[in-house]
Amino acid sequence: LCTMPQGERPRAESRTLGGFLLLRNGRPVPSSEWQSKKARDLFKILLARRGRPTPREVLMETLWPGEEPEPLANRLSVALARARTVLDPEREGGSEHLIGGDASSLWLELDRLYVDVEVFFAEASAGMALLDQGRETEARELLGAAEAKYAGDFLEEDLYEEWSTGLREEARALYIAVAHALARISLGAGDHDATVRYLLRVLQRDPHDEEAHLGVVSALSGAGRHGEARRSYGFYVARMQELGVEPAPMPFPAPP
């Protein structure tokens, strides 16, 4: 994770939640500056690997599937050089400051690069750990910060790229857990509106989450919004029917 000193702005910042954006010195880098889609895709693949070394052979096969291997080492070197130039045009940190490498592998130096999904993982995991320890007030602050960072799924524009799937699913699952936790905290505080808001965000990511559906119905009923509660229960029944699952009875209102 990014471990730069507090208050120091990283030279390069990568936004990946809801879509890809690279900022350099706080300014968005236009797509045209990459000059090569392969260079941008190489960086994205390394983001998905979360700092783990990735064999060059794997990168070549991923970027140029099915092509003869002989010219690919040179192509990868060209893409790598371009990616390093976009990240750090002045080479202020040296050529391998942000993308490290050796003869066999490449990786990102995540301690020198701000990546929103990595910060999300750190805040969400720390918040869930605090919640497990019963430190609800501290947990809510961290979980709220993590939830707010989740602008969308990881690299949504690369939805069908196999290399992006694992991290996307992992981040989405953690987000859903965070939103459920915030809903439970809000319900315990008697804040039905916040409970509904967090559970609806869960349903945006997973329309068939039964716990979230029933929680929305219960919280709306507890807030006296009975018409909305019945409509929400109807939505729940329809989603369960899509799965061939017997819907649960309409729940009682959530306690204050």
Side-chain angles (χ1 to χ4, degrees):
L1 299 179
C2 184
T3 56
M4 304 186 74
Q6 188 73 20
E8 181 176 333
R9 187 171 193 135
R11 184 175 297 114
E13 304 176 40
S14 182
R15 308 292 169 83
T16 63
L17 294 170
F20 177 74
L21 177 66
L22 179 69
L23 294 96
R24 195 175 57 225
N25 297 320
R27 297 183 178 181
V29 175
S31 297
S32 58
E33 189 169 331
W34 288 90
Q35 298 180 6
S36 161
K37 184 177 183 298
K38 297 299 184 183
R40 188 169 67 248
D41 285 349
L42 170 61
F43 179 59
K44 288 182 177 182
I45 293 167
L46 295 176
L47 285 168
R49 293 283 297 170
R50 304 192 64 192
R52 298 188 300 272
T54 305
R56 290 174 182 260
E57 290 78 6
V58 171
L59 292 168
M60 289 186 285
E61 175 58 30
T62 302
L63 289 166
W64 296 280
E67 295 197 25
E68 292 297 321
E70 285 74 14
L72 296 187
N74 184 60
R75 290 188 193 177
L76 179 61
S77 294
V78 172
L80 173 60
R82 187 64 212 160
R84 282 173 167 163
T85 296
V86 171
L87 289 169
D88 187 7
E90 306 302 325
R91 291 289 197 272
E92 293 180 30
S95 64
E96 298 188 8
H97 180 65
L98 297 176
I99 303 181
D102 56 26
S104 62
S105 302
L106 298 175
W107 58 86
L108 286 183
E109 300 287 359
L110 289 180
D111 59 337
R112 302 167 184 164
L113 176 68
Y114 178 98
V115 182
D116 60 352
V117 71
E118 296 295 341
V119 178
F120 165 75
F121 273 116
E123 291 180 342
S125 299
M128 296 297 278
L130 288 171
L131 195 59
D132 288 342
Q133 297 166 21
R135 298 160 65 182
E136 188 175 286
T137 301
E138 297 165 88
R140 184 172 192 168
E141 182 177 351
L142 271 176
L143 292 173
E147 195 277 334
K149 282 184 177 63
Y150 202 89
D153 288 337
F154 177 73
L155 295 181
E156 289 180 340
E157 71 273 25
D158 295 302
L159 188 62
Y160 301 107
E161 297 290 352
E162 186 176 347
W163 50 262
S164 69
T165 302
L167 183 53
R168 182 180 303 113
E169 294 298 327
E170 185 181 357
R172 183 190 292 141
L174 183 55
Y175 173 77
I176 289 173
V178 165
H180 269 297
L182 287 167
R184 288 191 294 271
I185 292 171
S186 299
L187 183 60
D191 189 343
H192 294 99
D193 289 341
T195 302
V196 170
R197 184 168 63 251
Y198 287 124
L199 292 176
L200 289 176
R201 290 174 186 172
V202 170
L203 293 172
Q204 289 177 352
R205 303 295 163 199
D206 181 2
H208 297 96
D209 188 308
E210 186 171 22
E211 180 185 348
H213 276 292
L214 294 174
V216 167
V217 175
S218 182
L220 287 170
S221 296
R225 295 157 64 181
H226 301 296
E228 291 179 67
R230 289 198 171 276
R231 284 193 295 275
S232 294
Y233 182 72
F235 296 148
Y236 156 69
V237 170
R239 298 292 83 76
M240 294 303 102
Q241 289 174 341
E242 290 171 358
L243 298 176
V245 173
E246 182 70 23
M250 186 164 174
F252 291 105

